């Protein structure tokens, strides 16, 4: 397991640090091949199906990246990532990166794969697996189409809002939340890349905080969250605040990226776009609020005997949640420092 995890990390780091298209592709392939056994560790038809779906989408996206870089090398004679791309190459690259990240309209694999894997694997897919494609977007943004990314971002935030409304599984809710957040990142990527990096970091920290609370409380469905308070009242409060932060409510950290992206898009006169995205973030906020309501504000209608969970010594280490939870709640006053 440790070898596989280190391969996963190596793949991402190779992609992030490479300036040659082939090396970037090699990093992405390493990454995909390392996470397949992690997804299929549970010997269960559903996890096998999830691994297959993940493999097919990621392999197709990697092939598209390789193909776009090859056609670009034929036309320009350069394998450099930072050099301008020819038009067929950048169209292929945009499609491939959207597929890698799970941006709408190429998002269909993400909820399915996350639902088929364990909580920890879902956590890796929604956080670590987004870093490599995002770094490629960051490097090639000058050559990619702004309007396509704005449209994809709007679509993703709408899909992330609508899709999560009807879900009862916490993993699927987190998958749609991931799609919505990536939509916000896609819209700003072509305008200000430093806000994109900041948004990505804050998204990673907030998602880590929520996922760790779900892993510690073993909450796989919305119904499971109703008995979190019996496990640990402190965890209940952390979960409540982390979810609201993920929804983007001030005065929590999640408000920073939304506020800065809105400000920047209004400066660029994308008024209609940002109004629609703000409305779609209300949809996301609805299902976060529903989760917080079941977690912290209601008692589940159980019999007296099942009110308390058995309080064994927790199997999962709870120390890791402290840093991400603190950052995902208290970072808003630091905004001026982040902007510098």
């Amino acid at each position: 397991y440790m070898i596989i995890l280190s391969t996963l990390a190596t793949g991402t780091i190779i992609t992030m640090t490479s300036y040659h298209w082939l090396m970037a592709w090699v990093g992405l392939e390493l990454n995909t091949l390392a996470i397949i056994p992690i997804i299929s560790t549970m010997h269960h038809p559903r996890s096998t199906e999830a691994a297959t779906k993940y493999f097919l989408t990621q392999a197709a996206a990697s092939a598209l990246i390789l193909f776009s870089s090859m056609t670009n090398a034929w036309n320009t004679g350069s394998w450099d990532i930072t050099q301008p791309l020819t038009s067929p190459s950048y169209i292929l690259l945009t499609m491939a990166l959207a597929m890698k990240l799970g941006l709408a309209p190429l998002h269909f694999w993400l909820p399915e794969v996350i639902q088929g894997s364990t909580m920890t694997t879902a956590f890796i897919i929604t956080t670590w697996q987004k870093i490599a494609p995002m770094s490629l977007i960051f490097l090639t943004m000058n050559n990619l189409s702004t309007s396509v990314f704005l449209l994809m971002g709007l679509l993703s935030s709408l899909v992330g809002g609508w899709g999560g409304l009807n879900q009862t599984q916490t993993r699927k809710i987190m998958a749609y939340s991931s799609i919505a957040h990536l939509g916000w990142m896609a819209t700003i990527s072509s305008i200000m890349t430093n806000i994109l990096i900041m948004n990505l970091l804050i998204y990673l920290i907030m998602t880590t905080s929520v996922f760790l609370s779900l892993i510690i409380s073993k909450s796989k469905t919305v119904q499971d969250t109703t008995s979190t308070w019996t496990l640990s009242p402190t965890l209940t409060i952390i979960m409540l605040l982390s979810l609201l932060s993920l929804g983007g409510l001030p005065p929590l950290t999640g408000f920073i990226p939304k506020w800065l992206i809105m400000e920047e898009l209004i400066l660029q006169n994308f008024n209609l776009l940002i109004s629609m995205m703000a409305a779609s973030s209300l949809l996301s906020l609805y299902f976060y609020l529903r989760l917080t309501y079941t977690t912290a504000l209601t008692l589940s209608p159980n019999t007296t005997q099942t009110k308390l969970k058995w309080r064994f010594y927790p199997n999962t280490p709870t120390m890791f949640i402290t840093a991400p939870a603190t950052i995902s709640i208290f970072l808003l006053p630091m905004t001026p420092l982040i902007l510098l």
Side-chain angles (χ1 to χ4, degrees):
Y1 194 68
M2 289 315 295
I3 291 173
I4 290 172
L5 279 183
S6 54
T7 313
L8 187 75
T10 311
T12 303
I13 291 164
I14 288 174
T15 304
M16 285 169 72
T17 51
S18 59
Y19 277 94
H20 192 287
W21 276 115
L22 271 182
M23 283 307 288
W25 173 78
V26 164
L28 289 170
E29 281 297 313
L30 260 179
N31 202 311
T32 307
L33 292 174
I35 202 162
I36 297 298
I38 299 179
I39 298 174
S40 52
T41 42
M42 301 292 288
H43 300 294
H44 191 276
R46 186 173 281 175
S47 63
T48 315
E49 183 191 343
T52 313
K53 281 176 181 169
Y54 188 85
F55 175 73
L56 289 173
T57 48
Q58 299 297 315
S62 292
L64 277 176
I65 287 179
L66 191 60
F67 189 57
S68 83
S69 54
M70 278 170 65
T71 48
N72 186 56
W74 276 328
N75 287 320
T76 60
S78 161
W79 284 95
D80 194 343
I81 291 184
T82 50
Q83 292 301 314
L85 294 159
T86 53
S87 59
S89 301
Y90 89 75
I91 294 166
L92 283 172
L93 183 67
T94 308
M95 278 173 61
L97 290 174
M99 203 162 165
K100 279 264 175 210
L101 283 170
L103 281 173
L106 302 162
H107 65 280
F108 294 98
W109 61 272
L110 188 65
E112 301 294 323
V113 169
I114 283 181
Q115 186 52 40
S117 48
T118 60
M119 268 293 181
T120 319
T121 315
F123 162 57
I124 294 173
I125 294 171
T126 46
T127 52
W128 187 258
Q129 294 299 86
K130 306 292 177 208
I131 299 175
M134 268 297 172
S135 62
L136 282 180
I137 285 182
F138 179 75
L139 285 170
T140 55
M141 202 55 243
N142 298 333
N143 317 321
L144 300 177
S145 164
T146 307
S147 47
V148 170
F149 267 88
L150 287 170
L151 193 65
M152 275 182 167
L154 175 63
L155 254 177
S156 299
S157 58
L158 286 168
V159 163
W162 284 120
L165 287 181
N166 213 14
Q167 302 299 334
T168 54
Q169 302 279 337
T170 48
R171 277 168 296 187
K172 272 201 171 164
I173 288 178
M174 291 308 292
Y176 282 108
S177 133
S178 169
I179 293 168
H181 276 273
L182 287 167
W184 282 82
M185 283 180 239
T187 46
I188 200 65
S189 59
S190 50
I191 296 160
M192 272 191 92
T193 39
N194 54 353
I195 294 185
L196 163 74
I197 297 292
M198 184 212 63
N199 190 350
L200 180 65
L201 285 173
I202 289 179
Y203 158 77
L204 293 177
I205 292 164
M206 292 190 303
T207 311
T208 304
S209 175
V210 173
F211 258 111
L212 286 177
S213 10
L214 291 174
I215 289 167
I216 293 166
S217 61
K218 296 185 174 62
S219 305
K220 289 188 173 61
T221 60
V222 174
Q223 191 184 354
D224 289 345
T225 57
T226 51
S227 53
T228 312
W229 67 277
T230 60
L231 189 71
S232 157
T234 323
L235 185 67
T236 313
I237 296 166
I238 288 176
M239 209 158 154
L240 172 123
L241 290 169
S242 301
L243 281 163
L244 291 180
S245 183
L246 208 55
L249 282 186
L252 303 165
T253 309
F255 182 57
I256 305 175
K258 285 199 168 45
W259 168 31
L260 295 178
I261 290 173
M262 278 182 157
E263 191 175 28
E264 196 53 45
L265 288 174
I266 289 166
L267 276 176
Q268 305 287 343
N269 277 336
F270 291 116
N271 295 334
L272 180 64
L273 174 91
I274 202 60
S275 308
M276 288 172 77
M277 287 190 68
S280 72
S281 78
L282 288 176
L283 293 170
S284 302
L285 186 62
Y286 170 75
F287 59 78
Y288 294 130
L289 276 174
R290 196 179 58 187
L291 263 180
T292 54
Y293 181 68
T294 56
T295 308
L297 302 174
T298 50
L299 295 181
S300 53
N302 293 336
T303 52
T304 345
Q305 287 86 350
T306 55
K307 271 283 195 285
L308 291 168
K309 283 187 181 178
W310 281 97
R311 287 205 185 196
F312 293 124
Y313 189 76
N315 294 330
T316 44
T318 50
M319 191 183 68
F320 299 123
I321 197 175
T322 47
T326 313
I327 298 171
S328 64
I329 294 167
F330 292 117
L331 209 63
L332 188 68
M334 305 287 282
T335 314
L337 283 178
I338 296 171
L339 288 177
L340 287 174

